[in-house]
Amino acid sequence: MPNPPRLALETSLYADDLAAAEQFYGDVLGLDVMLRTEGNHITFRCGPGVVHVFDPAASRTQDSLPAHGAEGPVHVAFGVPTDQLATWRRHFNRHDVAVEDTTQWGDGQRSIYVRDPAENSVELVSSTLWSTTARAERLRRVRPVLDLDTAESRPVEQFQNETLRPILKLLNPTILRLVAERLARYGVGFGAMDQVDQRDRLRNLMKEDGRLKRTLLGMVVGHLTQDELETYLAHKDEVRRRTVPMLLARAQDQIDTIVKLIEEISA
């Protein structure tokens, strides 16, 4: 099966009075309006996702997308830092929004509950409650998604393609900047070389410059989750043998960018 979803991208709520909903979610909660369709819905940006507030009567009869709607109040929870919950409570008081309930979840995690103008239950909760912002999830969330079929690969090959390649793509600007920095300091005349000599120079740099190699490998290791780190440590020598050529290939494929960076560094 494909990878499970990692994010609830859209949340839909329902309100007969869209103007009142916009005032609550925009002015009180501070969410930015992304889209407003008169008489149908308002869309607010919320982190990497969105919150739609629909007029239930209009959304039940629409024909451009599957119709939907809800009867009575529904529930939504927004993750916030725990140390901001007291500030939010005071903020709600200033806006005459009654705090309906509070809950302690253990490990210092808490929730406060209010109602929006449509009587939907709105919860502000410690963002770590469901581990949605745990380090592993944050690391995976920012990585590029590469469509690679690894079903028949050996474990280390899977690790290379599912973990190392996305991390290297994510770190690409930093990798090129560090390579350019070393070349600007020790690779005088790199920009004037022909491309064959430039590729050779990069190969020698990756082979001989232990400090650069350790820095680049350290960045990669620093972006591993705990489970991935265990895999790395179990196959450390082989993973390093695979990673260094990938770093070299990435630099060699972007020589023009490296030359421009060297010029900026040297200016």
Side-chain angles (χ1 to χ4, degrees):
M1 63 174 288
N3 290 331
R6 294 180 179 174
L7 171 70
L9 189 63
E10 299 180 6
T11 298
S12 293
L13 301 172
Y14 300 88
D16 294 325
D17 188 339
L18 292 181
E22 181 171 354
Q23 190 275 330
F24 178 81
Y25 289 98
D27 295 345
V28 178
L29 289 191
L31 302 182
D32 292 329
V33 175
M34 288 182 57
L35 178 66
R36 185 185 293 102
T37 301
E38 198 65 35
N40 186 274
H41 75 282
I42 305 171
T43 299
F44 301 88
R45 169 62 68 192
C46 184
V50 298
V51 176
H52 301 298
V53 182
F54 284 92
D55 180 316
S59 61
R60 288 193 196 99
T61 58
Q62 66 182 15
D63 54 13
S64 58
L65 293 170
H68 53 87
E71 295 289 346
V74 296
H75 172 70
V76 63
F78 296 102
V80 299
T82 301
D83 61 8
Q84 290 293 305
L85 285 169
T87 302
W88 272 106
R89 185 164 193 153
R90 293 192 295 271
H91 178 73
F92 286 135
N93 288 337
R94 288 194 296 270
H95 285 269
D96 296 321
V97 176
V99 173
E100 185 177 34
D101 200 359
T102 62
T103 300
Q104 298 277 352
W105 298 109
D107 296 326
Q109 299 171 116
R110 295 183 288 125
S111 292
I112 60 176
Y113 297 84
V114 298
R115 294 278 173 178
D116 74 3
E119 291 299 307
N120 293 304
S121 174
V122 177
E123 175 186 4
L124 270 63
V125 59
S126 300
S127 55
T128 56
L129 179 63
W130 299 107
S131 299
T132 54
T133 56
R135 179 176 180 273
E137 178 61 23
R138 294 198 303 270
L139 287 171
R140 291 192 180 99
R141 187 178 294 176
V142 298
R143 293 177 191 169
V145 177
L146 306 182
D147 188 13
L148 302 173
D149 186 357
T150 61
E152 303 298 324
S153 301
R154 295 189 301 112
V156 176
E157 290 174 342
Q158 286 184 332
F159 183 76
Q160 171 183 305
N161 292 320
E162 295 178 0
T163 301
L164 295 179
R165 290 191 186 281
I167 289 175
L168 292 179
K169 187 170 183 179
L170 172 68
L171 295 176
N172 186 69
T174 306
I175 293 168
L176 298 185
R177 181 65 172 76
L178 291 172
V179 170
E181 182 72 28
R182 299 300 282 179
L183 288 171
R185 182 175 299 183
Y186 303 113
V188 178
F190 181 81
M193 297 177 181
D194 64 37
Q195 195 162 92
V196 173
D197 289 340
Q198 288 174 329
R199 292 177 67 86
D200 287 341
R201 181 70 185 89
L202 288 169
R203 185 179 297 107
N204 291 334
L205 183 72
M206 287 292 182
K207 181 179 179 181
E208 299 171 1
D209 193 326
R211 178 178 295 180
L212 175 63
K213 188 157 49 177
R214 287 191 298 272
T215 298
L216 295 175
L217 289 170
M219 285 196 316
V220 173
V221 173
H223 279 75
L224 298 177
T225 68
Q226 189 62 40
D227 289 344
E228 291 165 349
L229 179 61
E230 295 304 320
T231 300
Y232 168 80
L233 292 174
H235 306 278
K236 184 175 179 179
D237 291 341
E238 185 174 357
V239 171
R240 288 168 69 94
R241 283 196 298 270
R242 289 172 179 267
T243 304
V244 172
M246 287 193 291
L247 287 164
L248 173 60
R250 187 164 286 278
Q252 288 179 327
D253 289 345
Q254 299 175 85
I255 287 174
D256 290 345
T257 301
I258 291 174
V259 170
K260 291 178 182 177
L261 288 170
I262 293 172
E263 292 172 352
E264 293 173 5
I265 294 167
S266 304

